[in-house]
Amino acid sequence: MVSDKTIARVRQAVETTGYFPNLLAGGLKSRRSMTVAALVPAISVQQFLPTVEALTESLHAAGYQLILGQSGYDHAREEALFNTMMSRQPDGIVVTGLVHSAALRERLGRLGIPVVETWDLSDRPVDMMVGFSHLLVGGAIAGYFLARGWRRIGIATGDDARAATRREGLLATLGRTVPTAYVPAPSSLALGRRALADLLTQDPEIEAVYCSSDQLAQGVVTEALARGLRIPQDLAVCGFGDADFAAHMEPSLTTVQVDGAAIGRTAAALVVARCRGETVAAPVVNMGFRIVERRSTAD
């Protein structure tokens, strides 16, 4: 519509003044901000990193940018973060876990923008969902331990809702309660060491420990070795998340593998499809999980 000479003058003016386009103003006209908000409990939790990376790359390929917020496993903080995010008018929202506040669920439903809850499953999603059953994870771990002949079992777990659901599934399959060491989320190696010390105080003869994260499991293994325990001969250890270090520990760590990158790509595809006005045939996607057996439980 304009000459090359005029374009050159405009570009020179942009460089001289340091001008950036006002995307908020443009968004008012187009009703699109070309951004997607994502909430994670903590960016330090390694199991969520593949999801965030895949979500970022997939959205970028579709012309969207990701705005990332950290809720800190705090429901009140999560709601405040939602309010801040929504004031920036994102085109969609991706949440790690379920939206727990009934009032917030209702508000999100009224907004009419794509919302994807991830890393969990429910029969009542706010809008769309990509995840797996934590209850079934717990049951599968209990079945695996029982099949190996372990009866004196302990649990090292974070105090977040998803970890609690996995513990519930494990206990339901066992049919009884077992020694449990609780640590504040997000977990760490140091907290794992503390958790095993707690468990051994509760039952010095524990044969196997399930940990709600690989970070906790790493700490449990470290504390066990420091106490002269052999793994898995004296103590078997299973984690959750299949962090990048799990296969390279000594001994390597048995864990529950979830395809976090696939969760991120699928969530991005659902958001983009809805933003384009397309019909989503399967708004709830069960990604499943599998137990990866390594040396921490296998002789």
Side-chain angles (χ1 to χ4, degrees), residues 198-211:
D198 184 355
L199 288 174
L200 292 175
T201 298
Q202 296 180 51
D203 181 2
E205 303 301 322
I206 280 179
E207 299 172 292
V209 176
Y210 158 67
C211 304

mmCIF file with all atom_site columns, all heavy atoms in Angstrom, residues 198-211:
data_model
loop_
_atom_site.group_PDB
_atom_site.id
_atom_site.type_symbol
_atom_site.label_atom_id
_atom_site.label_alt_id
_atom_site.label_comp_id
_atom_site.label_asym_id
_atom_site.label_entity_id
_atom_site.label_seq_id
_atom_site.pdbx_PDB_ins_code
_atom_site.Cartn_x
_atom_site.Cartn_y
_atom_site.Cartn_z
_atom_site.occupancy
_atom_site.B_iso_or_equiv
_atom_site.pdbx_formal_charge
_atom_site.auth_seq_id
_atom_site.auth_comp_id
_atom_site.auth_asym_id
_atom_site.auth_atom_id
_atom_site.pdbx_PDB_model_num
ATOM 1   N N   . ASP A 1 198 ? 12.386 -40.416 58.807 1.00 0.00 ? 198 ASP A N   1
ATOM 2   C CA  . ASP A 1 198 ? 11.076 -40.485 59.461 1.00 0.00 ? 198 ASP A CA  1
ATOM 3   C C   . ASP A 1 198 ? 10.478 -41.891 59.304 1.00 0.00 ? 198 ASP A C   1
ATOM 4   O O   . ASP A 1 198 ? 9.987  -42.492 60.271 1.00 0.00 ? 198 ASP A O   1
ATOM 5   C CB  . ASP A 1 198 ? 10.163 -39.430 58.854 1.00 0.00 ? 198 ASP A CB  1
ATOM 6   C CG  . ASP A 1 198 ? 8.801  -39.343 59.535 1.00 0.00 ? 198 ASP A CG  1
ATOM 7   O OD1 . ASP A 1 198 ? 8.499  -40.151 60.428 1.00 0.00 ? 198 ASP A OD1 1
ATOM 8   O OD2 . ASP A 1 198 ? 8.025  -38.436 59.161 1.00 0.00 ? 198 ASP A OD2 1
ATOM 9   N N   . LEU A 1 199 ? 10.514 -42.436 58.093 1.00 0.00 ? 199 LEU A N   1
ATOM 10  C CA  . LEU A 1 199 ? 9.928  -43.751 57.835 1.00 0.00 ? 199 LEU A CA  1
ATOM 11  C C   . LEU A 1 199 ? 10.623 -44.844 58.641 1.00 0.00 ? 199 LEU A C   1
ATOM 12  O O   . LEU A 1 199 ? 9.968  -45.754 59.178 1.00 0.00 ? 199 LEU A O   1
ATOM 13  C CB  . LEU A 1 199 ? 9.991  -44.076 56.344 1.00 0.00 ? 199 LEU A CB  1
ATOM 14  C CG  . LEU A 1 199 ? 9.050  -43.293 55.437 1.00 0.00 ? 199 LEU A CG  1
ATOM 15  C CD1 . LEU A 1 199 ? 9.330  -43.601 53.975 1.00 0.00 ? 199 LEU A CD1 1
ATOM 16  C CD2 . LEU A 1 199 ? 7.594  -43.591 55.775 1.00 0.00 ? 199 LEU A CD2 1
ATOM 17  N N   . LEU A 1 200 ? 11.947 -44.786 58.719 1.00 0.00 ? 200 LEU A N   1
ATOM 18  C CA  . LEU A 1 200 ? 12.689 -45.808 59.461 1.00 0.00 ? 200 LEU A CA  1
ATOM 19  C C   . LEU A 1 200 ? 12.440 -45.704 60.959 1.00 0.00 ? 200 LEU A C   1
ATOM 20  O O   . LEU A 1 200 ? 12.563 -46.699 61.694 1.00 0.00 ? 200 LEU A O   1
ATOM 21  C CB  . LEU A 1 200 ? 14.175 -45.703 59.155 1.00 0.00 ? 200 LEU A CB  1
ATOM 22  C CG  . LEU A 1 200 ? 14.573 -46.088 57.721 1.00 0.00 ? 200 LEU A CG  1
ATOM 23  C CD1 . LEU A 1 200 ? 16.053 -45.841 57.480 1.00 0.00 ? 200 LEU A CD1 1
ATOM 24  C CD2 . LEU A 1 200 ? 14.211 -47.550 57.427 1.00 0.00 ? 200 LEU A CD2 1
ATOM 25  N N   . THR A 1 201 ? 12.078 -44.525 61.429 1.00 0.00 ? 201 THR A N   1
ATOM 26  C CA  . THR A 1 201 ? 11.673 -44.385 62.827 1.00 0.00 ? 201 THR A CA  1
ATOM 27  C C   . THR A 1 201 ? 10.330 -45.062 63.050 1.00 0.00 ? 201 THR A C   1
ATOM 28  O O   . THR A 1 201 ? 10.106 -45.722 64.072 1.00 0.00 ? 201 THR A O   1
ATOM 29  C CB  . THR A 1 201 ? 11.577 -42.894 63.202 1.00 0.00 ? 201 THR A CB  1
ATOM 30  O OG1 . THR A 1 201 ? 12.859 -42.287 63.054 1.00 0.00 ? 201 THR A OG1 1
ATOM 31  C CG2 . THR A 1 201 ? 11.110 -42.719 64.642 1.00 0.00 ? 201 THR A CG2 1
ATOM 32  N N   . GLN A 1 202 ? 9.428  -44.916 62.059 1.00 0.00 ? 202 GLN A N   1
ATOM 33  C CA  . GLN A 1 202 ? 8.112  -45.542 62.167 1.00 0.00 ? 202 GLN A CA  1
ATOM 34  C C   . GLN A 1 202 ? 8.203  -47.067 62.034 1.00 0.00 ? 202 GLN A C   1
ATOM 35  O O   . GLN A 1 202 ? 7.483  -47.791 62.725 1.00 0.00 ? 202 GLN A O   1
ATOM 36  C CB  . GLN A 1 202 ? 7.179  -44.991 61.089 1.00 0.00 ? 202 GLN A CB  1
ATOM 37  C CG  . GLN A 1 202 ? 6.870  -43.508 61.228 1.00 0.00 ? 202 GLN A CG  1
ATOM 38  C CD  . GLN A 1 202 ? 5.926  -43.023 60.127 1.00 0.00 ? 202 GLN A CD  1
ATOM 39  O OE1 . GLN A 1 202 ? 4.871  -43.607 59.894 1.00 0.00 ? 202 GLN A OE1 1
ATOM 40  N NE2 . GLN A 1 202 ? 6.319  -41.956 59.438 1.00 0.00 ? 202 GLN A NE2 1
ATOM 41  N N   . ASP A 1 203 ? 9.050  -47.544 61.132 1.00 0.00 ? 203 ASP A N   1
ATOM 42  C CA  . ASP A 1 203 ? 9.214  -48.987 60.924 1.00 0.00 ? 203 ASP A CA  1
ATOM 43  C C   . ASP A 1 203 ? 10.626 -49.275 60.426 1.00 0.00 ? 203 ASP A C   1
ATOM 44  O O   . ASP A 1 203 ? 10.904 -49.116 59.239 1.00 0.00 ? 203 ASP A O   1
ATOM 45  C CB  . ASP A 1 203 ? 8.183  -49.508 59.925 1.00 0.00 ? 203 ASP A CB  1
ATOM 46  C CG  . ASP A 1 203 ? 8.309  -51.024 59.710 1.00 0.00 ? 203 ASP A CG  1
ATOM 47  O OD1 . ASP A 1 203 ? 9.160  -51.658 60.360 1.00 0.00 ? 203 ASP A OD1 1
ATOM 48  O OD2 . ASP A 1 203 ? 7.562  -51.567 58.873 1.00 0.00 ? 203 ASP A OD2 1
ATOM 49  N N   . PRO A 1 204 ? 11.525 -49.683 61.303 1.00 0.00 ? 204 PRO A N   1
ATOM 50  C CA  . PRO A 1 204 ? 12.917 -49.942 60.893 1.00 0.00 ? 204 PRO A CA  1
ATOM 51  C C   . PRO A 1 204 ? 13.065 -51.092 59.901 1.00 0.00 ? 204 PRO A C   1
ATOM 52  O O   . PRO A 1 204 ? 14.126 -51.238 59.294 1.00 0.00 ? 204 PRO A O   1
ATOM 53  C CB  . PRO A 1 204 ? 13.609 -50.290 62.225 1.00 0.00 ? 204 PRO A CB  1
ATOM 54  C CG  . PRO A 1 204 ? 12.721 -49.741 63.289 1.00 0.00 ? 204 PRO A CG  1
ATOM 55  C CD  . PRO A 1 204 ? 11.331 -49.856 62.752 1.00 0.00 ? 204 PRO A CD  1
ATOM 56  N N   . GLU A 1 205 ? 12.020 -51.890 59.711 1.00 0.00 ? 205 GLU A N   1
ATOM 57  C CA  . GLU A 1 205 ? 12.102 -53.055 58.828 1.00 0.00 ? 205 GLU A CA  1
ATOM 58  C C   . GLU A 1 205 ? 11.427 -52.828 57.478 1.00 0.00 ? 205 GLU A C   1
ATOM 59  O O   . GLU A 1 205 ? 11.110 -53.800 56.782 1.00 0.00 ? 205 GLU A O   1
ATOM 60  C CB  . GLU A 1 205 ? 11.464 -54.269 59.522 1.00 0.00 ? 205 GLU A CB  1
ATOM 61  C CG  . GLU A 1 205 ? 12.083 -54.613 60.862 1.00 0.00 ? 205 GLU A CG  1
ATOM 62  C CD  . GLU A 1 205 ? 13.571 -54.924 60.748 1.00 0.00 ? 205 GLU A CD  1
ATOM 63  O OE1 . GLU A 1 205 ? 13.951 -55.563 59.746 1.00 0.00 ? 205 GLU A OE1 1
ATOM 64  O OE2 . GLU A 1 205 ? 14.326 -54.522 61.645 1.00 0.00 ? 205 GLU A OE2 1
ATOM 65  N N   . ILE A 1 206 ? 11.203 -51.585 57.103 1.00 0.00 ? 206 ILE A N   1
ATOM 66  C CA  . ILE A 1 206 ? 10.556 -51.297 55.817 1.00 0.00 ? 206 ILE A CA  1
ATOM 67  C C   . ILE A 1 206 ? 11.364 -51.924 54.670 1.00 0.00 ? 206 ILE A C   1
ATOM 68  O O   . ILE A 1 206 ? 12.596 -51.847 54.643 1.00 0.00 ? 206 ILE A O   1
ATOM 69  C CB  . ILE A 1 206 ? 10.414 -49.770 55.611 1.00 0.00 ? 206 ILE A CB  1
ATOM 70  C CG1 . ILE A 1 206 ? 9.212  -49.252 56.390 1.00 0.00 ? 206 ILE A CG1 1
ATOM 71  C CG2 . ILE A 1 206 ? 10.259 -49.409 54.135 1.00 0.00 ? 206 ILE A CG2 1
ATOM 72  C CD1 . ILE A 1 206 ? 9.002  -47.761 56.275 1.00 0.00 ? 206 ILE A CD1 1
ATOM 73  N N   . GLU A 1 207 ? 10.636 -52.533 53.735 1.00 0.00 ? 207 GLU A N   1
ATOM 74  C CA  . GLU A 1 207 ? 11.276 -53.209 52.605 1.00 0.00 ? 207 GLU A CA  1
ATOM 75  C C   . GLU A 1 207 ? 11.271 -52.374 51.332 1.00 0.00 ? 207 GLU A C   1
ATOM 76  O O   . GLU A 1 207 ? 12.166 -52.516 50.486 1.00 0.00 ? 207 GLU A O   1
ATOM 77  C CB  . GLU A 1 207 ? 10.539 -54.527 52.304 1.00 0.00 ? 207 GLU A CB  1
ATOM 78  C CG  . GLU A 1 207 ? 10.535 -55.520 53.432 1.00 0.00 ? 207 GLU A CG  1
ATOM 79  C CD  . GLU A 1 207 ? 9.637  -56.695 53.125 1.00 0.00 ? 207 GLU A CD  1
ATOM 80  O OE1 . GLU A 1 207 ? 8.405  -56.506 53.058 1.00 0.00 ? 207 GLU A OE1 1
ATOM 81  O OE2 . GLU A 1 207 ? 10.171 -57.812 52.936 1.00 0.00 ? 207 GLU A OE2 1
ATOM 82  N N   . ALA A 1 208 ? 10.245 -51.545 51.152 1.00 0.00 ? 208 ALA A N   1
ATOM 83  C CA  . ALA A 1 208 ? 10.104 -50.776 49.915 1.00 0.00 ? 208 ALA A CA  1
ATOM 84  C C   . ALA A 1 208 ? 9.441  -49.440 50.205 1.00 0.00 ? 208 ALA A C   1
ATOM 85  O O   . ALA A 1 208 ? 8.552  -49.355 51.062 1.00 0.00 ? 208 ALA A O   1
ATOM 86  C CB  . ALA A 1 208 ? 9.274  -51.554 48.888 1.00 0.00 ? 208 ALA A CB  1
ATOM 87  N N   . VAL A 1 209 ? 9.887  -48.414 49.491 1.00 0.00 ? 209 VAL A N   1
ATOM 88  C CA  . VAL A 1 209 ? 9.342  -47.067 49.672 1.00 0.00 ? 209 VAL A CA  1
ATOM 89  C C   . VAL A 1 209 ? 8.890  -46.517 48.325 1.00 0.00 ? 209 VAL A C   1
ATOM 90  O O   . VAL A 1 209 ? 9.654  -46.544 47.348 1.00 0.00 ? 209 VAL A O   1
ATOM 91  C CB  . VAL A 1 209 ? 10.390 -46.110 50.288 1.00 0.00 ? 209 VAL A CB  1
ATOM 92  C CG1 . VAL A 1 209 ? 9.842  -44.690 50.372 1.00 0.00 ? 209 VAL A CG1 1
ATOM 93  C CG2 . VAL A 1 209 ? 10.807 -46.589 51.670 1.00 0.00 ? 209 VAL A CG2 1
ATOM 94  N N   . TYR A 1 210 ? 7.645  -46.047 48.292 1.00 0.00 ? 210 TYR A N   1
ATOM 95  C CA  . TYR A 1 210 ? 7.162  -45.287 47.129 1.00 0.00 ? 210 TYR A CA  1
ATOM 96  C C   . TYR A 1 210 ? 7.307  -43.806 47.442 1.00 0.00 ? 210 TYR A C   1
ATOM 97  O O   . TYR A 1 210 ? 6.921  -43.341 48.521 1.00 0.00 ? 210 TYR A O   1
ATOM 98  C CB  . TYR A 1 210 ? 5.696  -45.608 46.820 1.00 0.00 ? 210 TYR A CB  1
ATOM 99  C CG  . TYR A 1 210 ? 5.046  -44.501 46.024 1.00 0.00 ? 210 TYR A CG  1
ATOM 100 C CD1 . TYR A 1 210 ? 5.458  -44.234 44.716 1.00 0.00 ? 210 TYR A CD1 1
ATOM 101 C CD2 . TYR A 1 210 ? 4.074  -43.688 46.590 1.00 0.00 ? 210 TYR A CD2 1
ATOM 102 C CE1 . TYR A 1 210 ? 4.907  -43.185 43.997 1.00 0.00 ? 210 TYR A CE1 1
ATOM 103 C CE2 . TYR A 1 210 ? 3.516  -42.649 45.876 1.00 0.00 ? 210 TYR A CE2 1
ATOM 104 C CZ  . TYR A 1 210 ? 3.928  -42.399 44.580 1.00 0.00 ? 210 TYR A CZ  1
ATOM 105 O OH  . TYR A 1 210 ? 3.395  -41.345 43.883 1.00 0.00 ? 210 TYR A OH  1
ATOM 106 N N   . CYS A 1 211 ? 7.847  -43.053 46.499 1.00 0.00 ? 211 CYS A N   1
ATOM 107 C CA  . CYS A 1 211 ? 8.051  -41.611 46.657 1.00 0.00 ? 211 CYS A CA  1
ATOM 108 C C   . CYS A 1 211 ? 7.191  -40.857 45.649 1.00 0.00 ? 211 CYS A C   1
ATOM 109 O O   . CYS A 1 211 ? 7.096  -41.251 44.484 1.00 0.00 ? 211 CYS A O   1
ATOM 110 C CB  . CYS A 1 211 ? 9.517  -41.247 46.452 1.00 0.00 ? 211 CYS A CB  1
ATOM 111 S SG  . CYS A 1 211 ? 10.639 -42.154 47.550 1.00 0.00 ? 211 CYS A SG  1
#
